[in-house]
């Protein structure tokens, strides 16, 4: 989960990530590495369209970490913050046709609140007619003056995080 959260954060800021997998002396990964790769691979199989061939949106994200001042430490690596990120930590990426919204955790109440997409927002002035959860399909939502509030299905689709697709 930490690898996927870090990737989403980096891509939202127009960066890229190199994943290094430690190998045993015989050139094979150990079982812990296989487990990480299986879980990350399963998440990417469903959500890769929010990563591959995307670019940053007008704003990289919102939430407590995005809005906090974070001092760079350990040669600039701050990835420890993302393992504890909650569903209120949001990251954005886009293509020409879609805006992708990644909450860095599954919300316990099955709702995601996205302040940047509130009705009347200069960041997204167009009408939102459909919101999809990647790997699931159409989900219900309400757009108010305060936020776009999206209702997710009762069961989480994976152990990492949800990704929403909004037509631009």
């Amino acid at each position: 989960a930490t690898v996927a959260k870090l990737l989403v954060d980096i891509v939202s800021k127009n960066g890229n990530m190199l994943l290094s997998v430690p190998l045993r002396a015989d050139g094979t990964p150990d079982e812990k590495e296989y487990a990480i790769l299986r879980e990350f691979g399963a998440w990417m199989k469903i959500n890769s369209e929010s990563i591959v061939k995307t670019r940053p949106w007008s704003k990289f994200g919102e939430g407590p970490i995005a809005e906090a001042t974070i001092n760079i430490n350990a040669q600039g690596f701050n990835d420890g913050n993302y393992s504890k990120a909650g569903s209120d930590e949001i990251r954005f990426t886009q293509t020409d046709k879609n805006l992708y919204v990644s909450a860095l955790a599954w919300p316990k109440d099955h709702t995601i609140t996205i302040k940047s997409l509130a009705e009347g927002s200069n960041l997204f002035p167009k009408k939102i007619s459909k919101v999809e959860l990647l790997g699931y399909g159409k989900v219900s939502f309400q757009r108010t003056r305060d936020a776009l509030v999206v209702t997710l299905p009762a069961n989480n689709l994976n152990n990492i995080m949800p990704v929403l697709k909004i037509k631009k």
Side-chain angles (χ1 to χ4, degrees), residues 71-79:
N71 296 322
I72 295 177
N73 56 43
Q75 292 77 42
F77 294 98
N78 287 314
D79 52 322

Side-chain angles (χ1 to χ4, degrees), residues 3 6-7 10 15-21:
V3 172
L6 184 59
L7 175 65
I10 289 169
N16 55 58
M17 185 174 88
L18 174 65
L19 183 61
S20 177
V21 179

Side-chain angles (χ1 to χ4, degrees), residues 56-73:
W57 188 49
S58 307
K59 170 179 188 178
F60 81 89
E62 64 183 46
I65 297 171
E67 295 159 13
T69 301
I70 300 173
N71 296 322
I72 295 177
N73 56 43

Side-chain angles (χ1 to χ4, degrees), residues 7-105:
L7 175 65
V8 167
D9 182 64
I10 289 169
V11 171
S12 74
K13 298 171 184 170
N14 201 30
N16 55 58
M17 185 174 88
L18 174 65
L19 183 61
S20 177
V21 179
L23 303 175
R24 294 184 218 153
D26 68 357
T28 61
D30 64 25
E31 281 307 309
K32 288 182 183 178
E33 298 304 324
Y34 275 125
I36 291 168
L37 292 172
R38 276 192 292 273
E39 184 177 25
F40 178 66
W43 184 85
M44 279 295 291
K45 187 173 185 178
I46 292 169
N47 298 289
S48 64
E49 72 177 84
S50 70
I51 301 293
V52 178
K53 296 183 182 178
T54 63
R55 61 186 185 283
W57 188 49
S58 307
K59 170 179 188 178
F60 81 89
E62 64 183 46
I65 297 171
E67 295 159 13
T69 301
I70 300 173
N71 296 322
I72 295 177
N73 56 43
Q75 292 77 42
F77 294 98
N78 287 314
D79 52 322
N81 293 321
Y82 298 102
S83 61
K84 299 171 188 142
S87 60
D88 57 345
E89 201 64 50
I90 306 289
R91 296 295 179 268
F92 303 102
T93 57
Q94 68 176 334
T95 61
D96 289 339
K97 296 180 180 179
N98 301 309
L99 174 65
Y100 295 95
V101 179
S102 301
L104 298 188

Side-chain angles (χ1 to χ4, degrees), residues 94-136:
Q94 68 176 334
T95 61
D96 289 339
K97 296 180 180 179
N98 301 309
L99 174 65
Y100 295 95
V101 179
S102 301
L104 298 188
W106 286 91
K108 289 183 171 83
D109 67 356
H110 307 289
T111 61
I112 297 175
T113 303
I114 309 154
K115 296 175 189 171
S116 300
L117 297 178
E119 190 173 347
S121 168
N122 292 335
L123 295 171
F124 201 94
K126 295 180 182 179
K127 181 182 178 193
I128 296 174
S129 58
K130 182 175 156 183
V131 176
E132 292 180 37
L133 173 63
L134 295 183
Y136 179 81

